[in-house]
C-alpha cells in the first residue's frame, strides 16, 4: 500500500492547530441545555496504565471487548472484558505499523475494521470463530484520501468517511457471494466528513466537519439509486456545534455527537411522540477534544477523550443500542 505522505502531513498539521485551540482558547464552553453533565464515569484505559497516546476512536464488540484506535502510537488495541471478574484483562496490540489510525468498528460477527488514515486505506481483520483468532488483514474499498471514519451495518455493509474526497462511501456486502460489491456514495454536498454511523434501520448519520453539522441519510439512499435525500439534524447554528468529529446512534434513536471543538459529547434525545429531537444534554466531564463516541449493547457510552489520552465509560439507562463500532475523525 502506498503511503499518503501529503495527506498525512496535512492531517498532522490540522490536528496540532485544533488541539492547541482546545487547550488555549479563551472561548467558554457551551453548557448543557435543560440537562446537566453526567459525571458518573469510569476510566477504561489511559496513558499511565495502558500507554495511550491521543486515542481517537473506540468500539465495543458483542462480548464487551473494547477496541481503541491508539492514534498517536499508530496501533489498534484490544482490551478484553472478563465477564467473571468484571474487569478488563491484559491488553493486546490487535494491529500495529499503521499510520495515524483514526477509526475502528466491529461487526456483529467480530470482524474489526480500521481506518488507516495515513495510508489512505480501510482494513478488515477477520475473526475466526473456529480457531478463536484473528486472520490476515485485507483492504476494503479503494480510492480513499485520508479516510477518518468507518462503520459497519448489521448486514455487513461498510461505510467510510472519505474525508479528503469530501464523500461517504458505501461498500455493500453480498451475503450470497460472500464478498463485497461495487462501492457507491452516500450523502451530498459534504465537506470533510469526519465520521459515520448507521442505526438498526439502516439510516446513515454523518458528522460533516467542514460544515459544522450532522446529517441523516435515509436507509437505502445512495448514488447507485440516484437518491440524494438528506436532512440536517444538528448544526453550529441550532446546537452550537464546533468541529463535530464523532457520531453514534442508539436503538431508540438518541443521537450522540463528539463535539470536539467544545470539549464535550452531547446527547440529542429522540422523542417518539413528536418524532423530533429534544433539548441537548452533555454527558461526561472534564473532556478535552473528545473525538470518538460509541454505545454498547446495554446503552453504555464509551468516549475517546483524545486530549486526555484516555477512554472512559459512562453507564446509561437508555436501553439497548444497535450502534456498530466507533466512528470519528481526527481533523
Amino acid at each position: 500500500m502506498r503511503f499518503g505522505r501529503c495527506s498525512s502531513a496535512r492531517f498532522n498539521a490540522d490536528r496540532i492547530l485544533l488541539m492547541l485551540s482546545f487547550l488555549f482558547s479563551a472561548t467558554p464552553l457551551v453548557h448543557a441545555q435543560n440537562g446537566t453533565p453526567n459525571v458518573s464515569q469510569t476510566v477504561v484505559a489511559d496513558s499511565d496504565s495502558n500507554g495511550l497516546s491521543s486515542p481517537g476512536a473506540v468500539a465495543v464488540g458483542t462480548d464487551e471487548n473494547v477496541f481503541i484506535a491508539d492514534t498517536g502510537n499508530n496501533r489498534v488495541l484490544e482490551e478484553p472484558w472478563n465477564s467473571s471478574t468484571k474487569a478488563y484483562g491484559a491488553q493486546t496490540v490487535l494491529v500495529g505499523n499503521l499510520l495515524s489510525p483514526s477509526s475502528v468498528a466491529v461487526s456483529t460477527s467480530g470482524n474489526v475494521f480500521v481506518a488507516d488514515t495515513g495510508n489512505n486505506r480501510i482494513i478488515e481483520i477477520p475473526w475466526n470463530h473456529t480457531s478463536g483468532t484473528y486472520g490476515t488483514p485485507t483492504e476494503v474499498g479503494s480510492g480513499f484520501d485520508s479516510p477518518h471514519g468507518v462503520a459497519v451495518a448489521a448486514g455487513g455493509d461498510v461505510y467510510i468517511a472519505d474525508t479528503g474526497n469530501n464523500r461517504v462511501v458505501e461498500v455493500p456486502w453480498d451475503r450470497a457471494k460472500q464478498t463485497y460489491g461495487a462501492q457507491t456514495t452516500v450523502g451530498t454536498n459534504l465537506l470533510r466528513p469526519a465520521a459515520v454511523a448507521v442505526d438498526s434501520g439502516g439510516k446513515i448519520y454523518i458528522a460533516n466537519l467542514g460544515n459544522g453539522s450532522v446529517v441523516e441519510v435515509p436507509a437505502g439512499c445512495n448514488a447507485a439509486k440516484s437518491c440524494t435525500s438528506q436532512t440536517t439534524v444538528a448544526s453550529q447554528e441550532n446546537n452550537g456545534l464546533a468541529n463535530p468529529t464523532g457520531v453514534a446512534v442508539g436503538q431508540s434513536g438518541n443521537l450522540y455527537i463528539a463535539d470536539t471543538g467544545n470539549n464535550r459529547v452531547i446527547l440529542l434525545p429522540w422523542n417518539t411522540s413528536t418524532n423530533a429531537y429534544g433539548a441537548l444534554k452533555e454527558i461526561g466531564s472534564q473532556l478535552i477534544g473528545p473525538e470518538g463516541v460509541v454505545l454498547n449493547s446495554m446503552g453504555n457510552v464509551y468516549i475517546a477523550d483524545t486530549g486526555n489520552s484516555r477512554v472512559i465509560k459512562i453507564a446509561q439507562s437508555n436501553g439497548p443500542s444497535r450502534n456498530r463500532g466507533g466512528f470519528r475523525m481526527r481533523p
Side-chain angles (χ1 to χ4, degrees):
M1 177 68 186
R2 183 167 57 86
F3 277 48
R5 298 185 184 276
C6 294
S7 297
S8 179
R10 179 182 65 195
F11 162 84
N12 288 324
D14 286 352
R15 174 182 174 271
I16 290 171
L17 290 174
L18 187 57
M19 290 305 294
L20 286 174
S21 72
F22 298 156
L23 295 173
F24 300 111
S25 175
T27 303
L29 303 184
V30 179
H31 296 291
Q33 302 173 11
N34 297 331
T36 55
N38 183 339
V39 296
S40 176
Q41 62 190 35
T42 57
V43 175
V44 174
D46 60 17
S47 57
D48 293 334
S49 301
N50 309 87
L52 299 187
S53 176
S54 301
V58 57
V60 184
T62 55
D63 54 5
E64 298 304 312
N65 289 358
V66 173
F67 299 85
I68 302 169
D70 190 13
T71 312
N73 286 318
N74 299 310
R75 63 182 183 173
V76 170
L77 301 175
E78 180 178 7
E79 307 288 342
W81 177 252
N82 188 317
S83 58
S84 298
T85 63
K86 304 298 182 183
Y88 293 102
Q91 73 181 25
T92 59
V93 177
L94 180 60
V95 59
N97 298 318
L98 304 174
L99 188 57
S100 300
S102 337
S103 184
V104 59
V106 188
S107 71
T108 53
S109 60
N111 296 345
V112 179
F113 297 78
V114 179
D116 188 11
T117 305
N119 283 321
N120 298 317
R121 64 177 184 171
I122 301 296
I123 61 173
E124 177 182 2
I125 309 166
W127 174 251
N128 188 314
H129 291 271
T130 302
S131 65
T133 59
Y134 290 101
T136 303
T138 58
E139 293 189 26
V140 177
S142 62
F144 304 123
D145 181 6
S146 300
H148 286 82
V150 61
V152 55
D157 296 342
V158 179
Y159 296 86
I160 298 110
D162 187 13
T163 311
N165 285 320
N166 297 313
R167 64 179 185 171
V168 167
V169 172
E170 176 185 349
V171 185
W173 176 251
D174 189 322
R175 288 188 176 183
K177 297 180 179 179
Q178 289 294 291
T179 187
Y180 290 105
Q183 67 187 41
T184 184
T185 57
V186 174
T188 60
N189 300 316
L190 302 178
L191 181 60
R192 297 186 69 205
V196 58
V198 55
D199 70 11
S200 58
K203 291 181 182 178
I204 308 302
Y205 299 81
I206 302 168
N208 197 19
L209 173 66
N211 289 325
S213 64
V214 173
V215 299
E216 174 190 311
V217 179
C221 181
N222 56 45
K225 298 178 181 178
S226 299
C227 178
T228 58
S229 176
Q230 68 183 32
T231 304
T232 298
V233 295
S235 66
Q236 182 177 11
E237 293 77 12
N238 295 328
N239 309 95
L241 299 186
N243 300 313
T245 58
V247 62
V249 58
Q251 185 179 14
S252 61
N254 292 344
L255 192 65
Y256 298 79
I257 302 170
D259 188 15
T260 312
N262 283 318
N263 298 317
R264 64 179 184 170
V265 169
I266 64 172
L267 160 64
L268 292 176
W270 179 253
N271 187 318
T272 55
S273 298
T274 63
N275 285 326
Y277 291 104
L280 71 81
K281 300 178 181 179
E282 293 184 24
I283 60 173
S285 64
Q286 299 180 327
L287 306 178
I288 300 179
E291 297 183 356
V293 59
V294 69
L295 281 70
N296 70 358
S297 59
M298 295 176 288
N300 296 324
V301 181
Y302 294 75
I303 298 171
D305 187 11
T306 310
N308 284 318
S309 286
R310 64 178 183 171
V311 170
I312 62 173
K313 173 184 176 182
I314 301 172
Q316 295 290 300
S317 57
N318 298 337
S321 164
R322 295 183 185 274
N323 186 51
R324 305 297 178 190
F327 323 117
R328 48 77 65 193
M329 174 265 192
R330 181 180 301 278

